[in-house]
Amino acid sequence: MASEKKYDIGLMGLAVMGQNLVLNMVDHGFDVAVFNRTTSKVDDFLATEEARSKGDKLAGAHSLAELVGKLKSPRKIMLMIKSKDAVPAPELALYPENAAVDAVIAELLPLLDQGDVIIDGGNTQFKDTERRTKYLAQRGIRYIGTGVSGGEEGARRGPSMMPGGDPEAWPLVKPIFQAISAKVGPNGEFPCCDWIGDRGAGHYVKMVHNGVEYGDMQLISDAYWILKNALGLSNAELHDVFAKWNESELDSYLVEITRDIFTVDDPETGEPLVDKILDAAGAKGTGKWMSQLALDLGTPSTLVTEAVYARAISSMKDQRVRASKVLSGPNAQRYQRDKSEFIGQVKQALYASKICSYAQGFVQMQAAAKEYDWKLDCGKIALLWRGGCIIRAVFLERIKEAFDADPNLENLLLAPYFKAAVESAQPAWRNVVKTAIELGIPAPGFSTALTYYDSYRSEKLPANLIQAQRDYFGAHTYLRVDKPGEGPFHTDWINVKK
Ligand code: 6PG
């Protein structure tokens, strides 16, 4: 009797991302078994024309045990489960939205053998991934937490993947992950997927990807709002501006979709759809995590933080409507000088601010690597983000080159290419921020980026006064510029005055 067919990998969680990853894997020659807690989804998926066309390369399971039984050893099981799939967790995850993964791990453990691999492909807070990798390693199970970016289309055609966890698991999944991921390079020779590092490193890097995505989106929105309000550009004109920008150093997925958004009309009213959308931005939380973790590390990731706050203030729509009737500012005015010159300046403000945002993201990753004991290769990360993911952009090539030239680069702003780019953009950038302030147009991304730049390039900052105040009211002590290596010092500020 022929033995039952065994599959290369199992995937649990058949929402669109999960389905598309499965189809992508099969297209690349892998045999995949699938399972979903609501088992009707398994049957529905297998009944789709696309799934049926895959023949016996795809099989369904109606329980975790059945899924496990269908896999080649060592088994590889990828979880693409969403928070709403949550069932009571056996041990509380640090982040309750990730508790579903713990519940599945608890169910899987008795079914698996030593050396089998569990992969979490969701947007998980990295501390949960750190914990799970250690917990499972003690039980002989290899764990991977991987970022998967690119949305539904990316999952189907080639995502950017950022795996981290148990390094012994990497060779086992590498052929599958690198085959399905996006490819970049002159001949498409570089897969946008490589090993990031131990334990939660992959999920940390994916979180930074998302935080940088928040920054990019806010900066593009700053540009949009200034062009619309200071110059009065129409949606058609905005389309043309973003189309041109997308053929420059700003060439990126987010600029490209922004360009296209301005051309889409609402099927109901025939008017531009973007103008029908309520100006209250949602957020699932990865940007907030990056900001919280930046605070923990003491690294100034001000772009993502400002972007999270900008979404928060946008969501206070009712309050803003009330405040707009009460609080005054400059009356709606237009920029009076050369319009096309100003459009060029906004572009430069966007580019310079974007450089600051990425600089902050890489600084945070380097600080996290020290704190959590990972070895991160920043050039490699830039390459993984070059294709497939939401922040994919031509400009990431320059970042890779900068880290290749100096793997210990302290800050991207110090790399010759970026230093020159920001320097040449500076007058325009300042004029755009100044104009936004004069006209009363909020530009949180542009202005926080410029403040970061000015602070970072300042040999001296007014923190001497803060130290004096802290020492005055709380005897918190200070160090002296004229006595390096000595101290700390304290002054009795009240009595010394007399
Ligand atoms: C990706 C995206 C994705 C993210 C969404 C929603 O890399 O494909 O980053 O992972 O979840 O963009 O994020 P927010 O709801 O927080 O904006």
Side-chain angles (χ1 to χ4, degrees):
M1 201 178 100
S3 62
E4 202 195 330
K5 173 169 176 156
K6 297 282 181 191
Y7 292 78
D8 296 308
I9 185 165
L11 186 139
M12 173 181 177
L14 288 175
V16 188
M17 285 288 287
Q19 289 189 18
N20 282 353
L21 280 176
V22 168
L23 293 169
N24 188 352
M25 287 172 186
V26 173
D27 283 350
H28 284 90
F30 299 100
D31 294 343
V32 189
V34 299
F35 168 65
N36 195 80
R37 202 171 286 283
T38 307
T39 49
S40 58
K41 273 207 154 180
V42 176
D43 304 326
D44 292 347
F45 173 55
L46 293 178
T48 61
E49 205 173 311
E50 208 173 9
R52 276 193 293 139
S53 75
K54 309 295 177 198
D56 70 348
K57 296 195 73 58
L58 202 50
H62 288 93
S63 69
L64 265 182
E66 193 189 345
L67 181 77
V68 169
K70 283 186 181 300
L71 302 178
K72 285 180 194 161
S73 192
R75 304 178 184 93
K76 298 162 232 30
I77 299 164
M78 183 159 186
L79 311 179
M80 292 299 295
I81 52 183
K82 294 202 285 188
S83 45
K84 71 175 171 54
D85 296 335
V87 293
E91 51 176 294
L92 196 64
L94 289 173
Y95 293 84
E97 53 269 52
N98 301 146
V101 172
D102 285 316
V104 175
I105 288 172
E107 274 182 71
L108 275 173
L109 265 179
L111 303 171
L112 297 181
D113 291 324
Q114 301 269 310
D116 287 346
V117 183
I118 301 176
I119 306 144
D120 170 19
N123 271 330
T124 297
Q125 215 280 359
F126 88 103
K127 285 184 183 165
D128 274 330
T129 309
E130 294 268 309
R131 175 178 59 79
R132 289 177 188 137
T133 307
K134 290 184 208 159
Y135 174 82
L136 288 169
Q138 286 158 6
R139 285 153 185 80
I141 304 296
R142 296 164 178 151
Y143 192 66
I144 288 184
T146 184
V148 181
S149 178
E152 294 167 9
E153 189 58 21
R156 183 69 187 89
R157 310 270 160 230
S160 165
M161 299 182 76
M162 292 146 255
D166 185 336
E168 288 189 9
W170 175 229
L172 302 173
V173 299
K174 184 177 170 181
I176 304 178
F177 280 15
Q178 291 198 331
I180 65 167
S181 67
K183 309 285 182 301
V184 291
N187 306 307
E189 63 272 56
F190 301 117
C192 293
C193 171
D194 209 340
W195 188 246
I196 299 287
D198 288 344
R199 303 176 307 278
H203 272 143
Y204 198 98
V205 167
K206 173 57 166 61
M207 173 198 73
V208 173
H209 163 282
N210 280 28
V212 167
E213 171 187 305
Y214 274 55
D216 274 349
M217 290 164 80
Q218 186 57 47
L219 292 172
I220 291 171
S221 300
D222 280 10
Y224 158 54
W225 212 229
I226 291 169
L227 294 174
K228 185 177 169 74
N229 293 294
L231 298 182
L233 295 197
S234 66
N235 288 319
E237 289 170 315
L238 286 162
H239 163 269
D240 294 347
V241 167
F242 280 96
K244 236 171 114 193
W245 289 1
N246 200 43
E247 284 160 14
S248 72
E249 61 275 20
L250 287 173
D251 182 344
S252 60
Y253 172 71
L254 285 169
V255 169
E256 180 191 316
I257 65 166
T258 305
R259 172 197 72 191
D260 295 346
I261 283 169
F262 290 117
T263 64
V264 176
D265 287 335
D266 172 21
E268 244 175 75
T269 60
E271 289 166 43
L273 184 55
V274 69
D275 297 330
K276 295 283 165 211
I277 296 178
L278 184 71
D279 51 325
K284 294 210 189 79
T286 41
K288 183 183 75 179
W289 288 346
M290 175 171 167
S291 183
Q292 288 170 328
L293 291 165
L295 287 171
D296 287 347
L297 291 167
T299 57
S301 292
T302 57
L303 264 296
V304 63
T305 305
E306 197 62 50
V308 171
Y309 283 144
R311 290 193 191 191
I313 202 160
S314 81
S315 300
M316 298 159 56
K317 175 72 179 180
D318 294 347
Q319 229 182 104
R320 286 192 290 113
V321 170
R322 288 194 297 278
S324 71
K325 313 261 186 297
V326 180
L327 303 176
S328 66
N331 291 328
Q333 294 164 29
R334 295 276 194 234
Y335 186 72
Q336 299 302 336
R337 281 166 281 153
D338 190 298
K339 204 166 155 171
S340 73
E341 183 193 44
F342 190 65
I343 294 173
Q345 292 183 347
V346 175
K347 177 186 169 201
Q348 295 194 61
L350 175 53
Y351 192 48
S353 303
K354 186 177 163 86
I355 293 170
C356 290
S357 175
Y358 282 67
Q360 293 182 351
F362 279 94
V363 166
Q364 181 167 340
M365 284 191 289
Q366 284 162 323
K370 262 198 203 136
E371 178 72 17
Y372 304 111
D373 196 21
W374 305 317
K375 283 183 190 59
L376 295 187
D377 177 340
C378 291
K380 190 160 81 178
I381 292 167
L383 182 74
L384 303 188
W385 290 351
R386 175 73 185 80
C389 62
I390 304 296
I391 64 168
R392 62 185 179 261
V394 168
F395 140 104
L396 281 150
E397 201 78 43
R398 304 280 92 78
I399 299 185
K400 177 166 171 18
E401 286 163 10
F403 282 109
D404 283 350
D406 179 1
N408 299 315
L409 185 64
E410 258 191 305
N411 189 304
L412 268 184
L413 287 166
L414 301 175
Y417 173 85
F418 292 109
K419 172 181 161 347
V422 170
E423 263 164 14
S424 89
Q426 219 181 127
W429 188 14
R430 291 188 191 282
N431 188 49
V432 170
V433 172
K434 198 168 69 187
T435 303
I437 289 169
E438 276 167 6
L439 299 182
I441 301 167
F446 287 177
S447 50
T448 200
L450 186 52
T451 299
Y452 173 76
Y453 179 70
D454 280 336
S455 301
Y456 187 64
R457 66 177 190 83
S458 292
E459 186 183 338
K460 288 201 156 198
L461 286 172
N464 51 330
L465 181 59
I466 290 170
Q467 287 298 80
Q469 291 163 334
R470 293 177 68 242
D471 193 54
Y472 191 121
F473 64 67
H476 293 298
T477 74
Y478 55 87
L479 298 177
R480 296 181 63 107
V481 288
D482 54 351
K483 294 182 183 171
E486 292 179 41
F489 300 94
H490 167 63
T491 298
D492 180 353
W493 292 83
I494 295 170
N495 291 314
V496 89
K497 257 195 333 193
K498 290 178 185 155

